[in-house]
Amino acid sequence: MNNDKFLIGNVDNDKKPYVINIEKETLDNTNFRTTLWTGEKLQLTVMEIPVGGDIGLEVHNENDQFIRIEQGDGLCQMGPSENDLSFEQKVSEDEAVFVPLGVWHNITNKGNVPLKLYTIYASPDHVPGTVHSTQEDAEDDPNE
């Protein structure tokens, strides 16, 4: 097998086939956001949300989103507008959140350890290779 046709490790490029231990990559991540793989129709991103922090209230008008909690406890809020987050549910490790296109959403870390999660966007949401060390970096990124 020619390994230069495949991705290995924590990288994001060339839409190559990619196999990782997603739990390990998620738990080892110390950045607010790291985009690990971007394809034509899917994108994988891992996140670490500090205690008391959140992913940031957002809506995706061009993609659905899957979120899997690997560590910690949080509060998931969703709704039809940024002022109407009428859906609220506690989330914890081993649980998944499905966010439909066009739904405002946020997850806040309500636990006492960093909230570790991975998210899959269908279609991609971030520029390939995006790394945000902090939420402030993400908020300051003109591509976000």
Side-chain angles (χ1 to χ4, degrees), residues 1-125:
M1 177 185 310
N2 186 347
N3 284 337
D4 64 348
K5 293 183 181 178
F6 299 91
L7 295 177
I8 299 172
N10 187 348
V11 294
D12 184 6
N13 63 17
D14 296 337
K15 297 176 180 70
K16 294 179 180 178
Y18 188 47
V19 176
I20 63 165
N21 180 328
I22 197 165
E23 181 179 13
K24 180 181 182 328
E25 291 291 336
T26 303
L27 294 173
D28 287 352
N29 175 60
T30 58
N31 291 310
F32 176 74
R33 175 183 295 121
T34 301
T35 303
L36 295 179
W37 187 85
T38 303
E40 289 295 327
K41 301 288 184 184
L42 289 176
Q43 183 175 60
L44 170 64
T45 300
V46 294
M47 298 183 76
E48 178 182 90
I49 312 302
V51 173
D54 61 23
I55 65 171
L57 181 61
E58 60 185 359
V59 64
H60 305 294
N61 291 313
E62 297 183 10
N63 54 29
D64 294 313
Q65 185 176 8
F66 167 89
I67 302 168
R68 160 95 177 178
I69 310 296
E70 289 292 341
Q71 173 184 291
D73 298 298
L75 176 66
C76 175
Q77 298 173 288
M78 289 191 264
S81 72
E82 60 186 315
N83 298 317
D84 180 6
L85 302 176
S86 50
F87 175 91
E88 286 193 1
Q89 185 168 327
K90 291 180 181 179
V91 292
S92 59
E93 48 193 70
D94 298 330
E95 293 185 326
V97 176
F98 293 84
V99 183
L101 174 146
V103 173
W104 284 87
H105 58 282
N106 196 6
I107 296 179
T108 303
N109 184 346
K110 295 292 189 180
N112 55 11
V113 298
L115 186 65
K116 303 270 191 159
L117 61 90
Y118 67 85
T119 183
I120 298 173
Y121 301 94
S123 298
D125 189 59

Side-chain angles (χ1 to χ4, degrees), residues 125-137:
D125 189 59
H126 305 288
V127 173
T130 295
V131 175
H132 295 129
S133 296
T134 66
Q135 186 171 8
E136 183 179 4
D137 289 344

